[in-house]
Amino acid sequence: DAGVTQSPTHLIKTRGQQVTLRCSPKSGHDTVSWYQQALGQGPQFIFQYYEEEERQRGNFPDRFSGHQFPNYSSELNVNALLLGDSALYLCASSQGVANEKLFFGSGTQLSVL
Amino acid sequence: GENVEQHPSTLSVQEGDSAVIKCTYSDSASNYFPWYKQELGKGPQLIIDIRSNVGEKKDQRIAVTLNKTAKHFSLHITETQPEDSAVYFCAARLYNTDKLIFGTGTRLQVFP
């Protein structure tokens, strides 16, 4: 079992650009959640996808959007990048939407210059 | 908004000693409390979790205790080993939304 896989591992963008991050959930999991982790902080919830729909959302602007595909994989898109978007973006998968026993990927380190 | 406070931010112990990390949550209806371990360059890994109807849970050298009245819960690691060195995060699940709120983390260093 490969667990949760994320790509790319690192990414460098400039302000104003757009970025797409990808996530494949652990086998058997149907729910994907995305988190932003700033340096020295705990993960902050962005949104959760289940049955190809955004089910819940944290306090993030509309510049952050996502998608879930029929095979349960997911993408996170961020438009009009700001310097403050620099962070580790974590994908977590679970079985069901109750946010129990989340499995996290190793993340995508995004640097915005 | 709802938050989870975590203390201490850093903790250094000698190998074999015990380590305790404490968290306080604000939503009195929170009903699920996981603990995650994050090693350098990796994502958080679930190490133990507890539901609000249980006061204590143990798994080998790791235990978690929950005090619902005081709204705090703690992680206890006994007989620490150098491989326990990592950043530990607590989290609380909000009752009405099921969202997980994470603490700010504790960097644990275990010296041989």
Side-chain angles (χ1 to χ4, degrees):
Chain A
D1 184 0
V4 178
T5 57
Q6 291 187 243
S7 63
T9 55
H10 296 82
L11 206 50
I12 299 175
K13 292 286 187 179
T14 57
R15 280 182 300 173
Q17 285 190 311
Q18 178 263 345
V19 67
T20 297
L21 311 181
R22 296 177 175 82
C23 171
S24 292
K26 179 178 169 63
S27 178
H29 286 183
D30 56 10
T31 303
V32 172
S33 299
W34 287 91
Y35 289 81
Q36 181 194 68
Q37 186 176 26
L39 193 62
Q41 299 295 316
Q44 299 278 324
F45 174 69
I46 303 175
F47 41 54
Q48 180 191 69
Y49 276 85
Y50 174 72
E51 293 187 339
E52 301 180 49
E53 292 190 355
E54 182 182 295
R55 184 180 173 273
Q56 287 187 342
R57 191 179 185 91
N59 295 326
F60 281 81
D62 292 344
R63 299 186 297 109
F64 289 77
S65 63
H67 190 78
Q68 186 180 34
F69 299 93
N71 66 353
Y72 306 119
S73 66
S74 176
E75 288 182 349
L76 163 65
N77 301 291
V78 186
N79 294 323
L81 284 167
L82 303 174
L83 296 180
D85 294 331
S86 295
L88 180 68
Y89 288 85
L90 295 164
C91 170
S93 72
S94 59
Q95 194 168 8
V97 298
N99 282 319
E100 292 189 6
K101 302 193 186 301
L102 295 182
F103 278 77
F104 282 87
S106 294
T108 294
Q109 185 65 53
L110 173 65
S111 298
V112 182
L113 305 179
Chain B
E2 305 294 352
N3 71 313
V4 175
E5 294 185 358
Q6 183 172 346
H7 300 281
S9 57
T10 60
L11 181 59
S12 296
V13 300
Q14 202 74 29
E15 182 178 1
D17 287 350
S18 296
V20 180
I21 303 171
K22 300 181 179 181
C23 289
T24 303
Y25 56 97
S26 58
D27 177 16
S28 58
S30 292
N31 54 16
Y32 174 70
F33 307 90
W35 285 88
Y36 286 86
K37 174 184 181 182
Q38 187 172 25
E39 296 174 295
L40 197 62
K42 297 184 179 180
Q45 176 188 8
L46 179 69
I47 55 172
I48 195 167
D49 55 4
I50 191 170
R51 295 175 184 272
S52 58
N53 60 347
V54 176
E56 183 174 357
K57 184 177 179 181
K58 190 173 182 179
D59 183 3
Q60 299 183 338
R61 297 186 296 109
I62 293 174
V64 57
T65 58
L66 172 65
N67 183 328
K68 288 192 295 182
T69 302
K71 294 190 290 185
H72 66 68
F73 56 114
S74 300
L75 177 71
H76 305 254
I77 306 174
T78 58
E79 302 173 20
T80 54
Q81 303 166 2
E83 50 265 39
D84 293 329
S85 297
V87 179
Y88 291 80
F89 292 97
C90 63
R93 184 176 66 186
L94 303 180
Y95 173 74
N96 59 343
T97 64
D98 282 345
K99 292 178 183 177
L100 275 183
I101 306 297
F102 283 81
T104 50
T106 296
R107 181 172 299 279
L108 173 64
Q109 290 183 301
V110 181
F111 293 97

